Amino acid sequence: MSFLDKVFSRRSYQTAFGKANVVVMPDSQGERVRILELNGTFQSASYEGDAWSELPFAYFKGFDAVFSATGEGFQIEDILMMGGGGFAWPKHVLRTRLDVRMDVVEVDPEIIRIARKHLFLDRLERLLASEGRSEDLHIVVEDAASFLKASGRKYDVIVNDLFCGTDVPESSQGDGFLANVKARLAPGGIYMQNVIADLAREGAYALFSLMSELDDAFKHVSVLDATDEEYGGADNYIVFASDEPHAIEGAKPFSM
């Protein structure tokens, strides 16, 4: 059965990054999933019904590995997520972890509007308000690199999930960007980045190059394979970097 044969519905929108589609289709268990697709790449997803804050994609589940970090005295209370997309991980974290607050930076207000209309961001906001936790989610409409440079806040975890299709913006790469990341991390804090890489082709070099760059900037780097067999295309890897020797479940240390 082809991809199109499985689609229940499809809505299209124009965003700053091109045409976005919201498609509804079943997963392998027959559960209805709403998927945000941008420029031919799946960017985010949400189950319908009671599972609206659960995580369909493997790489979102890979993000959750950060909560297994075992650094002495390390607690995750403040998170910065750069790249809101469909807000799948913020929904999951804020619904399941009552001691966490998040700043989410998304440059395109149309993406945020789509997330509210189709991917249950509005439901999360109503839930937080009903629980007196509205301050636990702060959405910023801004370029992530600019926000990072200007922000005075410290974060226990900074997440880089910035993509246009499979491409990472140039503004979120390089020594200057990583210097700003380190300046915004609290002591013992963890930087993690989602990497899309086809290891059978030049993606292996791109992944190795990123980890080498992070190894120059941080004392400890590890990588977690978060490849999604069901929603795959290229492979996903979550790279973790910190100046503290955190052990993270499933992540393998990087060494030159």
Side-chain angles (χ1 to χ4, degrees):
M1 181 181 291
S2 71
F3 170 80
L4 290 176
D5 290 332
K6 295 190 289 185
V7 171
F8 293 141
S9 67
R10 173 176 172 169
R11 303 284 184 87
S12 296
Y13 300 91
Q14 191 62 38
T15 75
F17 302 104
K19 184 179 180 181
N21 297 306
V22 179
V23 298
V24 181
M25 60 184 293
D27 68 4
S28 59
Q29 305 301 314
E31 299 295 328
R32 289 170 62 96
V33 181
R34 298 184 183 186
I35 297 174
L36 174 62
E37 178 246 353
L38 181 62
N39 293 327
T41 302
F42 288 173
Q43 298 286 321
S44 190
S46 177
Y47 288 110
E48 294 186 343
D50 293 340
W52 62 275
S53 63
E54 296 182 15
L55 299 171
F57 289 176
Y59 87 84
F60 291 138
K61 298 172 185 176
F63 282 164
D64 257 11
V66 75
F67 291 106
S68 71
T70 59
E72 184 176 354
F74 181 65
Q75 291 184 317
I76 298 176
E77 296 177 346
D78 283 283
I79 298 175
L80 169 63
M81 185 163 192
M82 299 181 292
F87 286 76
W89 197 59
K91 286 186 305 178
H92 172 71
V93 170
L94 292 172
R95 194 178 184 199
T96 58
R97 298 181 181 273
L98 303 184
D99 55 348
V100 171
R101 69 167 301 279
M102 296 185 73
D103 289 341
V104 182
V105 183
E106 170 57 56
V107 71
D108 188 353
E110 181 64 9
I111 294 291
I112 298 171
R113 191 183 76 82
I114 292 170
R116 287 195 172 110
K117 184 174 182 179
H118 294 292
L119 298 169
F120 305 110
L121 174 58
D122 60 333
R123 185 177 295 183
L124 173 66
E125 291 172 321
R126 291 195 301 270
L127 175 66
L128 294 176
S130 71
E131 296 176 346
R133 299 173 56 212
S134 294
E135 297 301 315
D136 286 354
L137 174 63
H138 181 216
I139 299 173
V140 182
V141 182
E142 189 177 346
D143 172 74
S146 298
F147 173 85
L148 189 69
K149 185 176 182 179
S151 175
R153 193 177 188 98
K154 295 283 188 176
Y155 298 94
D156 303 305
V157 174
I158 295 177
V159 186
N160 185 345
D161 195 27
L162 296 167
F163 287 99
C164 180
T166 59
D167 297 326
V168 179
E170 289 187 10
S171 62
S172 64
Q173 303 179 58
D175 294 343
F177 175 78
L178 291 179
N180 290 331
V181 167
K182 293 197 70 171
R184 298 277 68 81
L185 280 174
I190 298 172
Y191 171 66
M192 61 181 191
Q193 181 170 340
N194 177 30
V195 181
I196 300 175
D198 183 351
L199 297 193
R201 305 179 66 180
E202 64 274 8
Y205 176 76
L207 178 60
F208 181 84
S209 296
L210 171 64
M211 290 191 293
S212 298
E213 185 178 7
L214 290 173
D215 193 53
D216 289 338
F218 293 88
K219 295 179 181 178
H220 303 277
V221 178
S222 59
V223 61
L224 173 69
D225 186 344
T227 300
D228 200 315
E229 298 299 332
E230 182 166 3
Y231 299 105
D235 301 333
N236 279 87
Y237 297 86
I238 312 298
V239 180
F240 302 89
S242 178
D243 283 335
E244 294 297 321
H246 296 289
I248 296 174
E249 184 176 351
K252 297 181 179 179
F254 170 77
S255 60
M256 292 290 289

